[in-house]
Amino acid sequence: MPLETSFGVRLKALRQKHGLSQAALAGEEISTGYLSRLESGARQPTERVIGYLAQRLGVDRSAFFAPHSSGSLSEAVSVAASTDGDDGAEALAAELAASRNEDPLLRWQALWLIARFRHRRGERAEERAALEEATRIADGLELPALQCRSRTELARCLRSAGQVPEALELAVSAHQVAKESGLAVSDTGKALLTLVSVEAEAGRLPDARAHVDELVAMVADRSDALRAEALWSAATVRSRQGDDDEARDFLRQAMDSLDSRVDPVLWARLRLAAASLYIHARPALTEEARRCLAEAEKALSLVGTPLQQQELLTLQARLAFEDGRLADARTALDRLETDGLTLSYRDRVRLRTLESLLLVEEGHREQGLAQLKKLGEEAHRDANLDLAAEIWRILAEALEKPERTA
């Protein structure tokens, strides 16, 4: 690694370890822009700057050039794993990038923590890169638990990005490893959860239903987040098979099974899922959806991530459309575009579908219908067969609806 690059990585890691912003470290002697270029490796430090930064950080100048050891990475892993929130994650990523020939188990743990951090931030490409490397390390170690976990999370990441064939291959492999190795229910159940979601996305609903029924039976005696997610998954599969009553029953069981104090984020997400189910019912159950969204909004105002806030706003836009409040729906769509989307592939497509329907209602019928047709073709091409079928149904309903007159 070049001197300026290794110096920058160590500088950033030391700054974040001390909890300093770039402005706080720069002080009055150097600019934050110059400090940023040092950290990125775009500039090489002078001796005076090295001495100044060492003094500001309270370290010997050799700290910027000391060879990386497993101890330094181990320390960064410990800090990141024991800190609430993401305070230590960036420092861990910088430390890992500068480390070479580390203990593979330690590198796997670092990558696992970094992948979770990237997921919460909605940084899908970075999350995928971390999980791919974690999967390679797990395979090299031949440790079934790590192989299962890495594959499960990578499959989930790929499914969220709309890469269903690749996700399906990994999900099948993760489930196979879990069963053949006799892994704990926590690992086997999570592998099944991911497999079910990918099979449903691929339109393999009979397989998804068989696997989700296996999962629900497996966790029947539990009262934790895994059981709630299993029931939620069962509701999703039933809904996509057209069994709306049974889907709503499973989702009610999921919501009733989880105390908000145990996992407030999952508690809110279950209500988003229920609202989505009510909104997409025919006819739409708007009052039930409104109640669930109000509960979710209250919880997410305290614990929600930017991604979950976008999911909430997407459903609020859809509810406004179902209510006939077209101006409110348009305002929500415009706000989502301004915020920068980090939604999953399915949610992004559903958002574009809503935009198409809104165009039709606003008098731009041909444009809206053409956009729906394009979305259906793209989903089919990407092997998202269940989503494609949903879009074709919406397009058919839009075509049957009489054109609005001025």
Side-chain angles (χ1 to χ4, degrees):
M1 182 181 292
L3 170 63
E4 58 270 23
T5 303
S6 61
F7 174 86
V9 169
R10 288 295 292 157
L11 172 61
K12 183 175 182 179
L14 286 166
R15 175 177 64 77
Q16 292 179 332
K17 178 181 174 182
H18 285 74
L20 297 174
S21 66
Q22 287 185 336
L25 178 57
E28 298 180 358
E29 293 293 320
I30 61 176
S31 70
T32 55
Y34 176 66
L35 181 62
S36 178
R37 289 191 290 275
L38 286 176
E39 290 189 351
S40 68
R43 289 293 298 273
Q44 187 170 352
T46 65
E47 288 297 322
R48 183 187 69 81
V49 168
I50 292 172
Y52 173 74
L53 292 172
Q55 181 183 25
R56 298 281 292 176
L57 289 164
V59 299
D60 188 88
R61 68 186 307 282
S62 63
F64 297 119
F65 308 102
H68 289 270
S69 66
S70 60
S72 59
L73 182 58
S74 178
E75 180 182 344
V77 167
S78 298
V79 169
S82 60
T83 302
D84 291 335
D86 297 325
D87 291 344
E90 286 286 11
L92 174 58
E95 193 70 44
L96 182 63
S99 302
R100 294 292 181 270
N101 302 317
E102 299 288 358
D103 171 27
L105 276 173
L106 186 60
R107 288 190 69 83
W108 187 92
Q109 187 177 5
L111 289 162
W112 185 255
L113 292 171
I114 289 168
R116 289 185 169 184
F117 165 64
R118 300 302 186 195
H119 174 69
R120 287 191 292 271
R121 292 269 293 264
E123 298 170 347
R124 300 188 191 282
E126 293 83 356
E127 179 191 6
R128 175 178 177 174
L131 290 170
E132 286 176 338
E133 186 177 349
T135 300
R136 288 193 293 270
I137 291 174
D139 287 344
L141 292 169
E142 297 183 348
L143 293 175
L146 301 191
Q147 288 177 306
C148 176
R149 292 171 194 175
S150 301
R151 281 171 163 75
T152 295
E153 286 304 300
L154 182 53
R156 179 200 51 74
C157 179
L158 290 170
R159 180 195 62 79
S160 293
Q163 296 171 279
V164 173
E166 300 93 327
L168 184 58
E169 182 179 349
L170 282 162
V172 169
S173 176
H175 182 229
Q176 184 177 356
V177 168
K179 293 194 72 172
E180 290 179 352
S181 303
L183 296 182
V185 171
S186 57
D187 283 314
T188 307
K190 289 177 182 177
L192 266 174
L193 268 175
T194 300
L195 178 58
V196 168
S197 68
V198 178
E199 286 175 333
E201 207 80 348
R204 297 172 55 168
L205 294 176
D207 292 338
R209 181 156 182 161
H211 282 131
V212 83
D213 287 349
E214 175 187 346
L215 175 60
V216 169
M218 181 187 300
V219 299
D221 295 332
R222 298 169 72 102
S223 58
D224 57 1
L226 181 58
R227 180 167 180 266
E229 289 190 88
L231 292 166
W232 176 8
S233 190
T236 300
V237 173
R238 262 53 173 195
S239 175
R240 295 187 186 180
Q241 288 186 312
D243 297 336
D244 288 343
D245 289 341
E246 197 170 356
R248 286 192 283 271
D249 182 57
F250 270 115
L251 207 44
R252 277 192 292 269
Q253 290 182 57
M255 289 190 288
D256 292 344
S257 73
L258 188 70
D259 191 305
S260 62
R261 293 167 295 184
V262 173
D263 191 334
V265 173
L266 179 56
W267 186 91
R269 292 181 66 221
L270 285 169
R271 277 142 186 84
L272 291 180
S276 179
L277 188 64
Y278 290 135
I279 288 170
H280 290 94
R282 285 296 172 263
L285 303 173
T286 54
E287 287 307 314
E288 292 88 338
R290 200 182 326 278
R291 184 183 66 252
C292 289
L293 288 179
E295 292 176 351
E297 183 174 20
K298 184 176 180 180
L300 292 177
S301 67
L302 301 174
V303 298
T305 66
L307 171 60
Q308 288 148 9
Q309 294 292 347
Q310 287 186 1
E311 291 171 343
L312 172 64
L313 187 54
T314 299
L315 289 170
Q316 288 172 332
R318 182 68 197 223
L319 179 59
F321 178 83
E322 294 294 339
D323 284 340
R325 295 180 285 114
L326 303 185
D328 290 343
R330 174 59 68 186
T331 298
L333 286 179
D334 291 343
R335 181 179 162 192
L336 281 162
E337 290 292 352
T338 301
D339 290 345
L341 293 178
T342 56
L343 295 169
S344 69
Y345 173 86
R346 170 175 279 270
D347 285 340
R348 289 199 310 274
V349 172
R350 277 186 158 177
L351 193 63
R352 297 281 78 83
T353 301
L354 174 57
E355 181 183 45
S356 303
L357 291 173
L358 194 54
L359 284 170
V360 171
E361 291 298 318
E362 291 171 336
H364 307 289
R365 180 179 174 83
E366 293 305 318
Q367 182 183 351
L369 294 177
Q371 189 166 297
L372 278 173
K373 183 174 182 292
K374 182 179 179 182
L375 287 169
E377 291 170 346
E378 289 176 351
H380 187 270
R381 182 195 64 215
D382 293 337
N384 287 271
L385 303 183
D386 178 72
L387 186 58
E390 178 181 322
I391 297 169
W392 294 132
R393 176 184 59 77
I394 291 171
L395 176 59
E397 291 173 354
L399 285 168
E400 290 177 358
K401 193 172 182 179
E403 186 172 356
R404 291 171 62 93
T405 58

